[in-house]
Amino acid sequence: MSRVAKMPIPLAAGLEVTINAEKIAVKGHQGSLSLPLTGQVIIKNENSTLTFAPADESREAVAMSGTVRALVNNMVVGVSQGFEKKLSLVGVGYRAQAQGDKLNLSLGFSHPIVHQMPSGVKCETPTQTEILIKGIDRQKVGQVAAEVRAYRSPEPYKGKGVRYADEVVVIKETKKK
């Protein structure tokens, strides 16, 4: 059996978990998330602890038990604490400004870039060169951060571009004659 699926998920006070045959829903003070289920994983809520087990010993059921456990754990953490990604802009004249549910980027192109935030994802700009993307759905937050980074990913010679806050860009040496 998957070692990930063997670890139980403790539920904090204030979280509501609803388990049906077709979906699991987690509700907390940040919001609520749900995940559709197949019949391959058995989920039990005992003493405010979620446990996961494969329905049978097939390879797919064993693999899905670990996957569903990881997804449900992300849901529990998301509705209780939330997720955030921090991006930084490196380059002369590179700026970002959050306006409601839009992010205006000036990345050295001849035109400004306006990125529309999906529902459930918020954006903040503490400074002109820092972007904070927050939300309760880990997949959405990571996807939005990847889309913003893709507008101008860091180039290897000067390191200019949009990068994650903890990303290390290895600078190449220029060509010699």
Side-chain angles (χ1 to χ4, degrees):
M1 186 168 137
S2 167
R3 283 180 257 174
V4 174
K6 289 181 182 179
M7 295 184 290
I9 299 175
L11 297 175
L15 290 181
E16 295 178 29
V17 177
T18 308
I19 303 169
N20 294 341
E22 60 268 351
K23 76 174 188 173
I24 180 170
V26 181
K27 186 176 182 182
H29 68 278
Q30 296 252 353
S32 63
L33 293 171
S34 64
L35 177 73
L37 295 174
T38 61
Q40 296 177 327
V41 182
I42 299 168
I43 304 173
K44 294 180 185 169
N45 186 358
E46 299 167 341
N47 302 329
S48 70
T49 302
L50 292 175
T51 57
F52 300 84
D56 52 28
E57 291 302 316
S58 69
R59 187 178 176 119
E60 292 82 17
V62 171
M64 283 305 294
S65 63
T67 302
V68 169
R69 189 257 177 219
L71 293 173
V72 171
N73 186 45
N74 287 339
M75 290 168 47
V76 169
V77 172
V79 298
S80 60
Q81 300 167 6
F83 292 101
E84 79 173 27
K85 286 275 190 180
K86 188 174 181 183
L87 300 170
S88 62
L89 305 177
V90 177
V92 177
Y94 288 12
R95 291 184 181 85
Q97 183 181 15
Q99 294 178 336
D101 61 346
K102 292 186 169 128
L103 178 65
N104 292 332
L105 297 166
S106 174
L107 297 176
F109 296 117
S110 61
H111 58 283
I113 298 167
V114 179
H115 186 81
Q116 178 72 38
M117 292 291 147
S119 62
V121 178
K122 291 181 233 155
C123 180
E124 297 175 6
T125 51
T127 65
Q128 288 185 338
T129 59
E130 289 181 353
I131 304 169
L132 278 175
I133 299 172
K134 297 180 179 181
I136 61 172
D137 190 352
R138 184 174 187 174
Q139 196 275 330
K140 272 189 184 178
V141 170
Q143 183 64 38
V144 170
E147 288 170 1
V148 171
R149 183 184 180 274
Y151 286 125
R152 179 78 85 169
S153 56
E155 55 98 10
Y157 295 104
K158 291 186 180 179
K160 293 171 28 171
V162 181
R163 63 175 80 169
Y164 298 113
D166 57 353
E167 184 177 3
V168 176
V169 177
V170 178
I171 305 297
K172 289 184 180 180
E173 191 174 337
T174 57
K175 290 184 179 178
K176 303 287 191 249
K177 284 190 176 182

